[in-house]
Amino acid sequence: MQTEKIAAGPPGAGDVYLGGRWSPAADGREFTVLDPATEQPLRTVSAAGAPEARAAVDAAEAAATGWRSTPPRGRSEILHRAHGLLHAQLDDLARLITLENGKALRDARAEVGYAAEFFRWFAEEAVRVGSGFGEAPGGGFRHVIVKQPVGITAHVTPWNFPAAMATRKIAPALAAGCTVLLKPAPDTPLTALAVAELLAEAGLPAGVLGVLPTDRAAEVVGVWMADERVRKFSFTGSTATGRLLLHQAAEQIMNTTLELGGNAPFIVCADADVDAAVRGAMDAKMRGGGEVCLAANRFYVHASVAEEFTAKFGAAMAAVRTGPGLAEGTELGPMVNAAALARIQELVGDALDRGARIAAQGQTPDGPGFYHPATVLTDVCDDARMMHEEIFGPVAPIAVFHDDGEVVTRANATSYGLASYVYSRDVARALRIAERLEAGMVGLNRGLVSDPAAPFGGVKQSGLGREGSHDGIEAFLETKYIALDWPAA
């Protein structure tokens, strides 16, 4: 795969991937993908509609029996090949991610490596799906427990990790023996098309995966949600959209996994190693330009170390090199689109209106591009919108706290519960705080928590279910119990 090849278009007459073939939308509709660094079009992409959505389900149904009957080792080997191909094509795919998403090339390269690990992890999980056989406690018969693929699965992925969010959903579904329908985000469909091409090269049979880029998501997803043949739905995106989709899933009593919004607190205790906390804060805030659901959203710093932390963190943020993602040395690229940039500016304006001040800020390049500088705000009140809403950008609001009970209460004062971060030299203290935090994931003295081998997901309105780890493949399996007559000898 070459970046230029995908940027110019996949082989064939269109961009809708169905039954192992590329085709245009039936009505010829297309939409434009922009380069966030230049605000110029990269290229137009076929926009799937209801006919393609129905055809995708038909193709998945036709391929389902053959795929579920493929031995686990056979499915595993395809995923292992896909893992190798991703690494072999890492540079090309990273450049493609940067072109359509805007993130710095170093972040894009890290994403491809992370995305590849989902293929490797679930290649290993594919051959470890358990079953059970045992005597009934009362005697006279046996319990047979069988794990079977849930069936046709539909997935909707976001733009912030166009490769990793696709592989985190596709890999466990394929490992479990399910067929897959994928609708990528309209801002970043090209990466998903590249992943589809890569899986075909790895030997995935035609029809097992369908990829439908579109700018009319409600039309495509609506068809899937209403089709009783689709038995599993997985979505990563905003809580507001997830809530609507969960209502639709309820109509079919559809098995659903939702990974939704976050509002992660980053707590720096009085006894924290401040230098380590600053390094962790840069990881937790600035990975992917802050456009990450796990990003630290609210910084609570103990009064005794607030001045030192703010000075050191502010200096690190002000030094961040901002520019086009493909430019050498860039650490922060543009935001994904104009709407994302405008929302960040709105949240900053609201905080300033409520008494916050800018403690440190980086520079942005002149000219076009959806750039926002790395920014640290202090004196941010708890009523500021950014303390309750996901910033999804390179802005860090700092608030001061005085005791552990207070900070836990403030950290939990949100409807979200995806991730949290705690820095303290006292591990017992950090664990006590972590156990009281209402979050699905906690980083202790660590600013990065994602790992394909660990369960990823949140509590409260941050979602349902877990991705990654063994939980990830279990989400695509049904448990069948067979009672086997077993006469006494």
Side-chain angles (χ1 to χ4, degrees):
M1 180 193 75
Q2 297 295 322
T3 304
E4 295 77 8
K5 174 183 174 184
I6 295 295
D15 307 289
V16 180
Y17 186 67
L18 292 176
R21 295 187 297 274
W22 300 97
S23 62
D27 60 5
R29 179 162 162 169
E30 297 180 326
F31 63 100
T32 301
V33 178
L34 296 180
D35 178 348
T38 65
E39 303 180 39
Q40 296 301 307
L42 282 174
R43 73 174 180 90
T44 57
V45 177
S46 302
E52 289 73 41
R54 287 189 289 269
V57 180
D58 292 341
E61 183 181 37
T65 300
W67 183 243
R68 71 182 290 158
S69 62
T70 298
R73 182 66 67 192
R75 299 197 295 265
S76 174
E77 288 172 353
I78 290 173
L79 292 174
H80 271 302
R81 287 196 292 272
H83 170 262
L85 287 169
L86 261 180
H87 275 288
Q89 300 171 15
L90 188 148
D91 287 335
D92 281 342
L93 193 55
R95 287 179 59 82
L96 182 61
I97 291 170
T98 295
L99 281 171
E100 62 176 352
N101 169 276
K103 67 176 62 177
L105 187 58
R106 68 171 193 175
D107 283 343
R109 289 177 57 85
E111 179 186 344
V112 178
Y114 179 51
E117 283 305 299
F118 286 106
F119 282 143
R120 177 158 65 174
W121 175 259
F122 286 109
E124 295 163 348
E125 288 294 290
V127 298
R128 292 178 174 83
V129 173
S131 58
F133 176 82
E135 183 178 4
F141 69 103
R142 295 292 190 268
H143 294 166
V144 181
I145 311 299
V146 181
K147 298 285 188 176
Q148 297 180 320
V150 67
I152 299 173
T153 65
H155 309 254
V156 176
T157 52
W159 48 261
N160 59 335
F161 284 89
M165 295 304 95
T167 62
R168 192 165 77 185
K169 295 181 186 299
I170 293 171
L174 295 179
C178 299
T179 50
V180 175
L181 311 174
L182 175 68
K183 189 210 77 65
D187 288 297
T188 56
L190 303 181
T191 301
L193 302 182
V195 170
E197 188 177 68
L198 180 147
L199 279 164
E201 186 178 349
L204 189 69
V208 173
L209 171 66
V211 180
L212 280 69
T214 189
D215 62 348
R216 37 185 171 180
E219 187 175 326
V220 169
V221 178
V223 168
W224 293 345
M225 301 297 274
D227 195 318
E228 63 182 12
R229 294 173 296 174
V230 179
R231 298 309 309 149
K232 169 78 182 185
F233 179 69
S234 180
F235 170 76
T236 297
S238 73
T239 295
T241 302
R243 188 178 294 115
L244 294 173
L245 292 167
L246 188 58
H247 277 289
Q248 293 182 46
E251 292 296 320
Q252 297 287 348
I253 317 296
M254 189 179 291
N255 182 325
T256 305
T257 297
L258 301 175
E259 193 266 283
L260 307 177
N263 187 14
F266 189 103
I267 298 170
V268 183
C269 296
D271 62 352
D273 179 332
V274 172
D275 291 332
V278 169
R279 292 192 297 271
M282 292 300 293
D283 286 337
K285 178 74 262 185
M286 296 304 292
R287 178 191 180 204
E291 295 179 307
V292 181
C293 56
L294 294 179
N297 208 61
R298 301 168 288 154
F299 289 79
Y300 295 109
V301 185
H302 193 273
S304 64
V305 293
E307 183 176 352
E308 180 186 1
F309 177 84
T310 300
K312 291 180 174 180
F313 184 38
M317 290 284 277
V320 169
R321 289 170 289 184
T322 305
L326 293 179
E328 185 176 353
T330 290
E331 297 170 298
L332 172 62
M335 302 298 96
V336 71
N337 56 37
L341 175 60
R343 187 174 180 281
I344 297 166
Q345 293 170 333
E346 184 180 307
L347 291 175
V348 171
D350 170 79
L352 295 175
D353 289 344
R354 295 173 186 269
R357 62 183 181 86
I358 296 176
Q361 193 166 59
Q363 301 294 317
T364 57
D366 295 329
F370 306 122
Y371 295 100
H372 193 286
T375 302
V376 176
L377 300 178
T378 56
D379 302 326
V380 183
C381 67
D382 285 350
D383 290 337
R385 284 178 54 194
M386 66 170 55
M387 302 299 272
H388 301 275
E389 302 177 26
E390 205 168 12
I391 300 169
F392 236 64
V395 177
I398 295 178
V400 172
F401 75 94
H402 297 86
D403 65 71
D404 293 354
E406 169 205 348
V407 76
V408 169
T409 298
R410 292 167 71 185
N412 288 340
T414 175
S415 60
Y416 299 104
L418 189 60
S420 297
Y421 303 89
V422 181
Y423 271 76
S424 170
R425 285 189 172 95
D426 184 340
V427 175
R429 178 189 197 181
L431 281 170
R432 285 195 298 270
I433 293 173
E435 289 179 355
R436 294 171 63 193
L437 291 172
E438 296 169 349
M441 297 168 282
V442 182
L444 296 187
N445 296 324
R446 181 173 175 80
L448 298 175
V449 299
S450 296
D451 188 323
F456 187 106
V459 301
K460 300 197 286 190
Q461 294 190 34
S462 284
L464 299 171
R466 294 294 183 269
E467 297 181 307
S469 78
H470 186 69
D471 295 7
I473 195 168
E474 286 287 339
F476 294 95
L477 295 167
E478 296 282 15
T479 300
K480 177 177 287 185
Y481 159 55
I482 303 170
L484 175 63
D485 189 43
W486 199 272

